[in-house]
Amino acid sequence: MSTIITLRYNTINNNTLETKMTLEQQDKKYVLQTYARDYTNFVKGVGSTLYDENGRDYIDFASGIGVNSVGHGNEKLASAICEQAKKIIHISNLQVIEPQAKLAQKIVELSGYDMGIFFANSGAEANEGAIKIARKYGETKFESKKYKIITLEHSFHGRTITTVKATGQESFHTPNFSPYPAGFSYEKSIEDVYKAIDDETIAVLIELVQGEGGVQPFEKKEIQKLAAHLKAEGILLIVDEVQTGVYRTGEFLASNLYEIEPDIITLAKGLGGGVPIGAVMTKHKEVLSAGEHGSTFGGNYLSSSAGLAVLDILSTMYDSGSIDETLVYFAEKLQDILTRYGNLFEKEVGLGLMRGLRAKSAEVQSAVLKNSLKEGLIVLKAGKNTVRFLPSITISKNEIDEGFKRFEKAISSL
Ligand SMILES: *Cc1c(COP(=O)(O)O)cnc(C)c1O
């Protein structure tokens, strides 16, 4: 046999071998192991119910970490994506993109803020854009340079080098990835932010409900006072709504619920219903000029069309009052669990459809997560001891009932 044929023959042989691997083995061999993964193989979803390869069903109280805002297999979203995919999926941002312009208008109108939008592909990338806008504002609008950004402890802003550094959790700032960009500092509370501001401070970056940090909302009055103070001082307020945005808290934006007007807002998770998209919106529309920021994929035909379909579905539900009904129903169910399982949980936390049960210990938290999956329910963790619930905004009462039935089975033996 010639060398070429031998090589080809070997390749074929290897392929045959590989098809005999289990999915778990395949993942472990070829995918970088950056996640502590569960190996349930989901193959289909309908609404807030997922099915694994054996046909077993699971109620989804996690919605892909707050991403599947309109549930799984949503007909309207799926056909918007299919129709668009058959026409144009992508043309560069050097050309105008009709669904992108429409999506920008829709987001601005729903928010009620006079802002302009830049589209990216993820939450971290949206936050990078926000930081660049703030930095340029601080470079050009004042006599001396302002560049410092204050964030809060227990915050989460992303996984790029800069957004990791913006994240107020020491454990994320491992020397493994150093050096990090300068100019970020962290405060324990909103009250401490006032004292931390100096002549070089350009912005305060916050989540109104800290998601990854433990589903912890800030007080409305406290946030309104901070917003007024920053405005008076000429310091930018950046609100990271990557998790709280797109009706997660019951309003289109958590900023609407808190009745504040931030300078910059970032969105991502729920906006595309699962299609990657991020957005940074700002009232300082003139700060970035052509060529200063960009993204190859950001806001392309496919992701913008998905975003438009998602907002169409959810804004209609909002107008009819059905989002309010869902969040009240979900909250009552959680309250009921808390009342009867005070031995396991300290309190209920969160807002809207972004909620958590603060477990008495990290051990209880991990046992609840493990047992829930066994009973066919997907929930998330947050912080050190919070069990987190991020159901899709379109979840039905039946699915909520069934989910809590399973949750109770999962915790009753603990
Ligand atoms: C998830 C999240 C991010 C990061 O988003 P990615 O899409 O993973 O980059 C940033 N901020 C908040 C508040 C988040 O919840």
Side-chain angles (χ1 to χ4, degrees):
M1 251 192 276
S2 78
T3 321
I4 296 270
I5 290 175
T6 314
L7 279 174
R8 285 198 180 133
Y9 187 71
N10 284 343
T11 314
I12 292 165
N13 249 354
N14 284 341
N15 284 344
T16 323
L17 268 181
E18 279 155 23
T19 58
K20 286 189 185 134
M21 289 176 128
T22 65
L23 178 57
E24 180 167 348
Q25 287 167 334
Q26 192 178 31
D27 181 88
K28 286 188 167 151
K29 181 163 180 196
Y30 293 110
V31 178
L32 294 184
Q33 296 297 295
T34 63
Y35 304 97
R37 273 204 160 129
D38 169 68
Y39 282 93
T40 313
N41 180 20
F42 294 109
V43 293
K44 194 180 123 175
V46 180
S48 290
T49 309
L50 280 166
Y51 298 88
D52 72 13
E53 61 188 333
N54 304 313
R56 188 168 176 223
D57 59 274
Y58 298 73
I59 298 294
D60 184 5
F61 275 1
S63 67
I65 319 187
V67 166
N68 305 300
S69 47
V70 297
H72 302 281
N74 184 291
E75 281 295 334
K76 209 164 172 177
L77 175 59
S79 37
I81 294 169
C82 288
E83 288 314 306
Q84 188 56 60
K86 284 186 228 160
K87 291 186 218 150
I88 298 177
I89 291 177
H90 177 91
I91 286 189
S92 85
N93 272 306
L94 301 176
Q95 250 79 43
V96 71
I97 300 168
E98 190 176 351
Q100 183 186 102
K102 283 186 176 161
L103 179 60
Q105 181 179 354
K106 181 92 178 164
I107 293 171
V108 166
E109 284 175 1
L110 289 174
S111 76
Y113 303 132
D114 178 16
M115 292 186 173
I117 302 190
F118 173 87
F119 287 102
N121 307 283
S122 67
E125 199 191 348
N127 285 336
E128 289 273 349
I131 292 164
K132 278 177 83 173
I133 292 168
R135 285 271 175 94
K136 181 164 180 206
Y137 189 90
E139 178 70 33
T140 55
K141 298 273 180 187
F142 305 92
E143 260 163 36
S144 64
K145 183 182 178 75
K146 293 179 191 276
Y147 68 98
K148 291 182 184 166
I149 296 176
I150 299 169
T151 73
L152 286 165
E153 285 187 11
H154 307 295
S155 60
F156 181 78
H157 299 296
R159 296 289 198 155
T160 61
I161 293 278
T162 302
T163 57
V164 144
K165 189 60 179 167
T167 292
Q169 301 185 48
E170 259 327 301
S171 61
F172 278 76
H173 310 152
T174 145
N176 292 346
F177 308 127
S178 64
Y180 295 95
F184 293 94
S185 65
Y186 323 99
E187 296 305 321
K188 272 203 167 52
S189 69
I190 300 280
E191 270 314 305
D192 292 334
V193 170
Y194 296 96
K195 287 174 258 161
I197 292 170
D198 67 23
D199 287 344
E200 290 175 325
T201 304
I202 188 55
V204 174
L205 165 60
I206 52 169
E207 297 155 88
L208 297 176
V209 185
Q210 291 187 330
E212 306 301 312
V215 204
Q216 188 58 53
F218 289 103
E219 291 286 338
K220 185 170 175 175
K221 286 234 157 63
E222 198 178 30
I223 293 293
Q224 289 182 333
K225 188 179 142 203
L226 176 71
H229 180 78
L230 295 179
K231 194 169 186 180
E233 296 289 313
I235 295 165
L236 303 178
L237 174 60
I238 309 173
V239 179
D240 179 345
E241 295 230 32
V242 168
Q243 194 161 150
T244 55
V246 194
Y247 299 102
R248 183 52 60 190
T249 66
E251 293 298 323
F252 177 58
L253 300 175
S255 297
N256 298 135
L257 187 69
Y258 278 72
E259 298 178 279
I260 53 166
E261 223 174 287
D263 294 276
I264 304 172
I265 298 169
T266 55
L267 297 174
K269 288 191 165 88
L271 184 56
V275 179
I277 187 166
V280 45
M281 49 199 291
T282 181
K283 62 182 179 196
H284 305 289
K285 300 179 206 173
E286 73 301 336
V287 172
L288 293 179
S289 35
E292 279 193 311
H293 194 43
S295 169
T296 298
F297 295 112
N300 74 10
Y301 282 77
L302 191 77
S303 60
S304 298
S305 299
L308 273 170
V310 165
L311 293 187
D312 195 32
I313 296 163
L314 295 181
S315 62
T316 307
M317 283 181 64
Y318 176 83
D319 292 341
S320 76
S322 77
I323 293 182
D324 274 348
E325 265 176 49
T326 306
L327 69 88
V328 167
Y329 195 72
F330 203 91
E332 283 170 2
K333 290 274 175 180
L334 264 187
Q335 195 57 50
D336 176 51
I337 293 280
L338 181 65
T339 317
R340 288 183 299 113
Y341 292 90
N343 58 322
L344 298 175
F345 304 107
E346 268 168 25
K347 59 174 174 175
E348 203 233 310
V349 286
L351 283 174
L353 288 171
M354 178 173 181
R355 306 197 90 96
L357 285 172
R358 197 61 53 77
K360 292 231 158 133
S361 68
E363 290 70 41
V364 171
Q365 178 202 40
S366 64
V368 169
L369 257 74
K370 222 171 93 200
N371 284 7
S372 294
L373 195 63
K374 268 193 213 147
E375 294 298 335
L377 173 71
I378 306 167
V379 290
L380 294 162
K381 62 178 181 178
K384 283 194 196 79
N385 58 339
T386 305
V387 179
R388 179 167 45 152
F389 303 84
L390 291 175
S392 85
I393 314 294
T394 54
I395 192 168
S396 69
K397 282 188 182 169
N398 282 343
E399 286 165 327
I400 296 175
D401 287 345
E402 182 59 30
F404 277 105
K405 210 186 279 170
R406 294 178 189 196
F407 189 68
E408 193 155 0
K409 261 196 208 149
I411 63 174
S412 58
S413 60
L414 294 177

